[in-house]
Amino acid sequence: MYGRNAWEPFTAKADETLTAYLCSQGMELNIGTFPSEFRKRLGEYFKQRENDLLESTYTQVLREILKDKGYDDVPSTVLRNALDALFAVTQSNWALEEDAIPTLKKLEESGYRLGIISNAGDDRDVQQLVRKFKIRQYFDFILTSASCSYRKPHPRIFEIALSNWYLLPAEAVMVGDNLTADILGAQNAGLYGVWISRRADPQMEKQEAVRPDASMMSLSELPAILDKLQVK
């Protein structure tokens, strides 16, 4: 998946939508300032999680900032509904790569077992996106950092993923666009790492210390790469 357009307008609208919902539930929040306060707090947690590789979920951050506003015991359903309203906005900017489903079908036909490991602050958001794009059927599991607490490149998230299949690390391949989180993380955990550079951050190409086991520009190249790596 990739973002069709710049994310800033979508996250701004999403934060405003979340704030409006909370206000509709009787909370006295400043509609003009709370959205930016919430996004700033998220940013602080995002910086922290990159250092300790432990996920800070949107729910945790929202609950904490509301507690600071004097709302100590907000029901979980209210928090969930507020976040669902937020993600309904951001999900509208996601698009599925054109070669995703054809590649998934070919891998499935070839007998490969597939799973998703995603660094994400909200598990439900990822699960909804996978269903929205009608690709859930191709995967044995969808593992998010929000659901297991560990973020790539922490080795534990790869170990949890492999436990779904009882496979050895050398029998698995991680495909991702982030050289540090996806490729180096996988290799340190004993997996092969295949880098897809199509939409990777340009800064990634400067990380010469990370050496993928293979690289590709499109998902359609993956079946041939897997055959060459002889991973089944």
Side-chain angles (χ1 to χ4, degrees):
M1 305 174 198
Y2 66 97
R4 292 189 188 91
N5 304 294
W7 280 105
E8 288 78 6
F10 287 89
T11 55
K13 182 180 179 182
D15 296 343
E16 291 169 2
T17 302
L18 173 140
T19 304
Y21 174 80
L22 294 173
C23 288
S24 75
Q25 299 303 299
M27 298 182 203
E28 296 181 0
L29 303 173
N30 189 319
I31 192 71
T33 60
F34 186 81
S36 59
E37 289 180 55
F38 175 62
R39 188 56 52 176
K40 181 181 178 181
R41 186 70 64 90
L42 281 173
E44 292 170 356
Y45 272 89
F46 290 169
K47 186 180 296 185
Q48 176 184 321
R49 72 185 187 181
E50 292 305 315
N51 291 325
D52 60 23
L53 299 181
L54 299 177
E55 188 61 74
S56 299
T57 68
Y58 275 69
T59 301
Q60 293 171 330
V61 176
L62 181 56
R63 185 177 292 282
E64 180 182 288
I65 193 170
L66 288 176
K67 184 177 181 179
D68 291 346
K69 298 292 183 181
Y71 300 101
D72 293 351
D73 299 309
V74 180
S76 296
T77 53
V78 171
L79 297 179
R80 185 66 257 168
N81 289 339
L83 291 173
D84 283 347
L86 178 150
F87 290 120
V89 176
T90 58
Q91 286 178 12
S92 66
N93 193 38
W94 286 107
L96 191 67
E97 297 284 6
E98 290 186 1
D99 55 357
I101 290 180
T103 301
L104 292 172
K105 286 182 177 178
K106 187 167 185 178
L107 293 174
E108 182 183 54
E109 292 167 358
S110 298
Y112 288 101
R113 305 291 295 274
L114 306 175
I116 289 179
I117 309 176
S118 175
N119 278 354
D122 192 82
D123 181 69
R124 180 160 165 158
D125 178 40
V126 175
Q127 304 292 345
Q128 288 175 337
L129 282 166
V130 170
R131 291 194 297 270
K132 172 185 176 181
F133 290 118
K134 296 181 172 56
I135 58 174
R136 182 64 183 87
Q137 69 195 70
Y138 299 104
F139 298 97
D140 293 337
F141 63 87
I142 313 294
L143 177 64
T144 67
S145 53
S147 68
C148 75
S149 300
Y150 298 97
R151 288 178 61 80
K152 299 175 293 183
H154 197 293
R156 183 57 184 150
I157 194 169
F158 296 98
E159 293 169 1
I160 294 171
L162 290 176
S163 70
N164 285 273
W165 295 315
Y166 302 101
L167 291 177
L168 295 174
E171 297 175 294
V173 176
M174 176 69 197
V175 180
D177 63 0
N178 187 297
L179 283 173
T180 301
D182 298 320
I183 307 307
L184 185 60
Q187 291 174 334
N188 285 343
L191 292 76
Y192 290 95
V194 175
W195 185 44
I196 179 165
S197 59
R198 174 168 52 193
R199 300 186 190 280
D201 184 337
Q203 295 297 318
M204 284 285 134
E205 298 185 19
K206 298 179 181 180
Q207 297 186 25
E208 298 178 358
V210 181
R211 299 293 185 186
D213 294 289
S215 300
M216 59 187 183
M217 280 293 295
S218 65
L219 288 172
S220 59
E221 301 172 56
L222 184 56
I225 288 175
L226 294 178
D227 286 344
K228 187 176 295 186
L229 290 174
Q230 296 184 328
V231 179
K232 273 286 186 181

